[in-house]
Amino acid sequence: MLWVTWRQHRAALLTGLFLLAAVTVPTLVSGFAMHEEYRAAGIAACLTDPEARAGCAQLLDQFTAHYGQWGNRMIWVTFLPALIGAFVGAPLLAREFENGTWRFAFTQGVSRTRWLLTQLTVVGAAAAVLALACSVLFTWWRGPLDAMSSPMRTAAFTVSPGLVALTLFALALGLFAGVLLRRTVIAMGLTLAVYLTVRITLEETLRPHYLSPLVRTDAQKAADALPPTAWVVDEGLITTAGNRLSDGDERKILQQVYDGDTVREGGAALERYLAEHGLRHYTEYHPADRYPIMLIIEIGLYLGLAFALFAAAAYLVRRRTS
Amino acid sequence: MSSDVAVQIDRVGKRYGRHWALRDCTLSLPAGRIIALVGANGAGKTTLLHLAIGLMPPTEGSVSLLGTPLKPGRPQTLSQVGFVAQDHPLYRGFTVAEMLRYCRKTNTRFDQAGAEGRLRDLGIPLNRRTGRLSGGQQAQVALTLALAKQPRLLVLDEPVASLDPLARREFMKTLIAAVAETDVTVLLSSHVVTELERICDHMVLLRGGRVRLAGDIDDLLAGHRVLTGPRVDDAALDGLVTATHGERNSHLLVRQPATAPTHPRWEAHPVNLEELVLAYLEGQD
Amino acid sequence: MFAFRVLDRSGVPAYLQLVDQVRRGLLLGHLQEGDQLPTVRAVASAVVINPNTVAKAYRELEHAGLAVARAGQGTFVTGNIEQVPAATYARLSGRLRQWFADAREAGLAPEQVRAMVDAVMDDERRRETA
């Protein structure tokens, strides 16, 4: 059964290894250059104490401008799980049903359960190793950038070891779609659509609330006082009684203070107005040290989903009769 | 010829959703025979074949294979059975040799040398991808794989439906040669009655998910005849299967032995297999 | 080795076709006493026919005393049919062929020919018994 699995997926595996190699080379080259510049320019010192020497702020800006763009582009690894889900997971069973080969595979002297478990183990392990390799490579690359901004908000989260969980989730999703629809192309499409929906929902809606954010209220805008690695989730105005103003109310205040003319007086007029009316700023944020816990929660979520989908796929395969 | 039972099917039914594909089906398939499974599309042939090899469990009733209750999906069951599915599916990207390896790795018994010899005799190269073989060659490969498992029961689902007459003949030749060497029981479904007449000696006919006719073909032919005579509109005849009427005459296909007495106004003729099969396929419920 | 053939739509059961071919082979001298018949397996795969049908034909031949199975060796012809002597065959078949040609020329359809042959044979048989 091991040989069978290897034979059926060797093309995909070799493609995966080839892509990994193709990506590794430029990443290593640019990565070493960036790490070297980070060290040589003494950016770490600037981060711990912005007043360490003159031009720190400018230095940080330059560095971010130069490499941040690169780092954001690396968001494409988001598609690695999608590719594995659509091109490995979805066809794994869909193609067997589409071509009728399931009637061949399931009438040899191997039970379906063993057949499926072997395929899952081999393909899953290969996908996980590939994802882990990508994760290690890109996390190393991002090291300097992550020291300068919140890893939770940025692509750091994407390229973290969470990538492995995400990949297994996508694989399971593809597998489930394949056995459910029994049509390769449709299953691939569904896998992509559901993957993106789940991922975007999780990232945008759920991730800020894995843990309840810390809140601080200040007379001045607090964001500047927080370290740059903190992840600000929400900001707004709050009354002395503790009621948060709605967006509409905030807009009314701005209207009232500036009367459509924001430029002339800068922020001072607003601050004056706020003080007069007993309003203060509030900020919801996650400090950087929460990153590991948030990551573990997200990994747990994806692994849970993956397991549920694997189980559902196995159930359908065992039941499938025609 | 053995009188043992290869497959015993007892009050078996199979339901898909709310539709019964097979209902109240009781059959004894004799061992060592080549058994034809006949029926229109959707009559439940494939369902019955899949049940007989344990590809799926019946909704009700029980199936036993060579005297032991059949446990669907179990490797022990599956390795006793050779199965050539409809359109003989193979992995198109695999070479013939890789297909052999697939089967060798997944079955407890596999006659590699025999399979290679058979393919060599057929002139099918081992290093060719199965997707590049002709339809007839693909069918031969699928049959060779099933035979190499040295099964006790060989099941073929419409094995020659997609083949041209020459490939059909070649396929059947391989099948017959293999069957004559062993005591394997063969169960095959087909539409081509003339083919079945040569190959098969036992027949099961399905209509609407139920068994309508089953037995040795010679017995079935001997047990039916056509009576030709003056037109009768409501023939309440014992064992009437079908009646066709002309303006003044009628042909009645009846289930009765050739020795049964006939009314002098009726002339009795023997039936052939095609006539018999069509009569039962047309029958009313 | 003797070669068999089986026709699909002849209306004659396959095993009877095989029996008839052995019978005719004996009559015409294509088969002689002591000849070995091909194995069941060989016949079955050569003419693509159920092996049990061939076995049934062979049993039928044994039953009729035309063949005998020797354990471990095969089935052998026992020439129990009076063979038509070659000279007689040549003489009579030639005249029969001539007669058929005449019948065709006279515009007789095959079933009319058959009916005539049957009628003549019946008459002869009746005259013999009388």
Side-chain angles (χ1 to χ4, degrees):
Chain A
M1 217 26 240
L2 267 180
W3 176 83
V4 170
T5 312
W6 151 248
R7 175 61 189 84
Q8 286 189 284
H9 300 289
R10 68 180 182 196
L13 186 66
L14 293 177
T15 311
L17 288 177
F18 175 77
L19 286 178
L20 181 66
V23 165
T24 302
V25 175
T27 309
L28 284 178
V29 171
S30 71
F32 278 121
M34 175 168 68
H35 279 253
E36 177 58 25
E37 187 179 331
Y38 182 79
R39 201 185 52 77
I43 292 173
C46 278
L47 281 173
T48 39
D49 179 11
E51 310 299 326
R53 58 189 173 88
C56 252
Q58 199 194 349
L59 194 62
L60 290 181
D61 280 351
Q62 261 177 6
F63 190 83
T64 316
H66 189 187
Y67 291 105
Q69 206 55 15
W70 252 90
N72 288 340
R73 242 176 256 149
M74 218 157 272
I75 204 82
W76 70 265
V77 277
T78 290
F79 292 104
L80 173 80
L83 286 179
I84 289 181
F87 286 95
V88 179
L92 196 143
L93 286 165
R95 201 153 48 196
E96 298 278 350
F97 288 112
E98 200 167 51
N99 297 343
T101 43
W102 71 281
R103 286 171 302 176
F104 174 84
F106 295 168
T107 49
Q108 304 306 314
V110 167
S111 73
R112 290 181 200 199
T113 315
R114 205 181 124 211
W115 184 92
L116 189 62
L117 275 179
T118 314
Q119 298 255 349
L120 276 187
T121 314
V122 173
V123 175
V129 167
L130 193 69
L132 190 64
C134 283
S135 162
V136 168
L137 181 66
F138 295 123
T139 305
W140 165 79
W141 192 93
R142 289 195 55 84
L145 291 173
D146 291 338
M148 296 164 64
S149 67
S150 164
M152 284 174 279
R153 178 71 244 176
T154 64
F157 221 103
T158 307
V159 303
S160 70
L163 191 64
V164 176
L166 197 56
T167 302
L168 289 178
F169 160 70
L171 185 69
L173 181 63
L175 206 71
F176 177 72
V179 67
L180 192 69
L181 300 168
R182 289 185 281 163
R183 289 282 174 274
T184 308
V185 176
I186 308 177
M188 287 167 83
L190 184 79
T191 304
L192 279 177
V194 173
Y195 169 80
L196 287 177
T197 311
V198 168
R199 218 182 110 58
I200 290 169
T201 313
L202 214 72
E203 203 161 299
E204 298 298 322
T205 320
L206 287 180
R207 191 184 287 170
H209 304 292
Y210 290 160
L211 296 172
S212 20
L214 299 180
V215 185
R216 56 180 287 172
T217 52
D218 304 275
Q220 300 292 311
K221 235 182 171 178
D224 306 332
L226 287 170
T229 50
W231 177 23
V232 174
V233 174
D234 193 17
E235 295 177 297
L237 297 172
I238 190 167
T239 64
T240 35
N243 297 321
R244 292 179 181 183
L245 296 189
S246 70
D247 287 352
D249 288 340
E250 270 183 47
R251 229 175 291 122
K252 263 184 227 146
I253 292 173
L254 287 173
Q255 197 100 46
Q256 206 173 321
V257 174
Y258 297 115
D259 195 18
D261 181 11
T262 47
V263 193
R264 196 173 305 162
E265 285 191 75
L270 178 65
E271 298 304 333
R272 220 178 303 125
Y273 177 93
L274 296 181
E276 280 165 17
H277 291 78
L279 289 165
R280 302 205 296 160
H281 290 278
Y282 76 89
T283 313
E284 285 190 346
Y285 70 101
H286 293 290
D289 59 7
R290 280 187 169 185
Y291 174 61
I293 304 166
M294 305 269 284
L295 187 58
I296 287 168
I297 292 173
E298 186 159 306
I299 288 176
L301 271 177
Y302 277 126
L303 285 183
L305 281 174
F307 183 79
L309 286 165
F310 277 140
Y315 173 76
L316 285 180
V317 165
R318 284 178 59 93
R319 270 202 39 192
R320 183 103 271 163
T321 51
S322 60
Chain B
M1 200 184 293
S2 164
S3 60
D4 296 346
V5 173
V7 182
Q8 178 67 47
I9 295 173
D10 247 337
R11 295 186 309 282
V12 158
K14 180 71 192 177
R15 196 181 55 197
Y16 298 111
R18 304 182 61 188
H19 167 73
W20 286 90
L22 211 60
R23 199 76 208 262
D24 202 19
C25 182
T26 297
L27 275 175
S28 297
L29 302 179
R33 307 289 207 84
I34 306 182
I35 301 156
L37 183 60
V38 183
N41 289 330
K45 293 194 300 279
T46 297
T47 302
L48 183 65
L49 294 182
H50 285 185
L51 287 172
I53 58 169
L55 190 55
M56 61 191 186
T59 310
E60 57 180 34
S62 65
V63 181
S64 64
L65 181 64
L66 305 155
T68 44
L70 188 133
K71 298 194 179 77
R74 293 288 179 83
Q76 306 91 294
T77 306
L78 294 169
S79 49
Q80 284 191 51
V81 175
F83 180 53
V84 177
Q86 202 165 354
D87 304 323
H88 15 84
L90 299 170
Y91 292 99
R92 302 179 61 80
F94 280 40
T95 64
V96 176
E98 283 170 335
M99 286 305 300
L100 291 181
R101 186 160 181 202
Y102 189 139
C103 285
R104 195 173 71 237
K105 294 268 179 191
T106 51
N107 288 290
T108 42
R109 274 178 309 173
F110 190 78
D111 179 11
Q112 175 84 14
E116 283 179 8
R118 186 163 285 131
L119 291 170
R120 198 171 38 240
D121 292 346
L122 291 163
I124 296 173
L126 290 180
N127 58 5
R128 175 102 23 109
R129 284 181 194 273
T130 63
R132 302 193 53 196
L133 297 173
S134 72
Q137 287 175 321
Q138 287 181 14
Q140 293 278 15
V141 170
L143 176 61
T144 303
L145 293 173
L147 287 170
K149 287 169 79 176
Q150 297 168 301
R152 307 286 303 279
L153 173 69
L154 178 63
V155 174
L156 307 108
D157 194 359
E158 302 277 358
V160 294
S162 57
L163 304 182
D164 61 68
L166 192 64
R168 237 172 234 208
R169 175 52 71 99
E170 287 302 313
F171 183 91
M172 287 303 185
K173 211 166 188 162
T174 311
L175 178 66
I176 291 287
V179 167
E181 277 171 4
T182 60
D183 58 352
V184 64
T185 306
V186 179
L187 175 59
L188 68 95
S189 68
S190 180
H191 285 304
V192 191
V193 178
T194 47
E195 205 108 50
L196 299 180
E197 195 160 10
R198 291 179 85 100
I199 304 295
C200 303
D201 49 4
H202 194 91
M203 183 175 78
V204 174
L205 186 143
L206 293 177
R207 190 183 70 236
R210 287 169 194 269
V211 176
R212 307 291 169 163
L213 191 65
D216 284 359
I217 290 179
D218 288 344
D219 295 346
L220 293 176
L221 290 176
H224 289 83
R225 54 183 179 164
V226 174
L227 300 178
T228 302
R231 176 164 180 142
V232 278
D233 281 321
D234 50 347
L237 208 59
D238 231 16
L240 178 70
V241 182
T242 49
T244 43
H245 302 289
E247 199 179 330
R248 292 198 196 83
N249 64 345
S250 293
H251 301 284
L252 310 176
L253 199 154
V254 291
R255 180 169 209 156
Q256 54 178 224
T259 50
T262 344
H263 193 276
R265 289 175 65 189
W266 292 88
E267 201 182 321
H269 303 285
V271 290
N272 69 19
L273 189 62
E274 193 159 11
E275 225 174 344
L276 186 69
V277 165
L278 287 174
Y280 273 90
L281 289 181
E282 269 171 11
Q284 307 295 308
D285 290 299
Chain C
M1 200 72 75
F2 191 68
F4 288 98
R5 63 194 279 260
V6 169
L7 294 178
D8 269 334
R9 290 170 187 269
S10 67
V12 181
Y15 82 95
L16 278 184
Q17 294 187 37
L18 298 181
V19 170
D20 284 348
Q21 283 165 40
V22 171
R23 204 181 279 276
R24 199 176 310 163
L26 272 167
L27 280 168
L28 301 182
H30 304 151
L31 276 172
Q32 283 168 2
E33 179 165 11
D35 279 358
Q36 187 177 4
L37 291 174
T39 62
V40 168
R41 184 180 167 238
V43 178
S45 37
V47 296
V48 189
I49 190 178
N50 189 306
N52 291 328
T53 308
V54 183
K56 186 175 178 182
Y58 278 19
R59 276 200 307 279
E60 202 77 12
L61 286 169
E62 284 179 49
H63 204 69
L66 295 176
V68 63
R70 290 191 202 128
Q73 295 183 52
T75 307
F76 294 86
V77 172
T78 51
N80 259 359
I81 281 186
E82 194 67 34
Q83 197 181 312
V84 183
T88 318
Y89 177 81
R91 182 163 51 87
L92 289 180
S93 72
R95 278 163 59 186
L96 192 56
R97 271 182 229 284
Q98 182 57 51
W99 185 85
F100 269 103
D102 292 346
R104 199 167 45 238
E105 211 167 291
L108 293 191
E111 55 266 37
Q112 291 173 302
V113 170
R114 211 168 289 131
M116 264 186 83
V117 172
D118 283 347
V120 171
M121 281 174 76
D122 281 354
D123 285 349
E124 290 298 310
R125 204 177 299 131
R126 222 169 286 134
R127 210 166 48 188
E128 275 168 28
T129 50

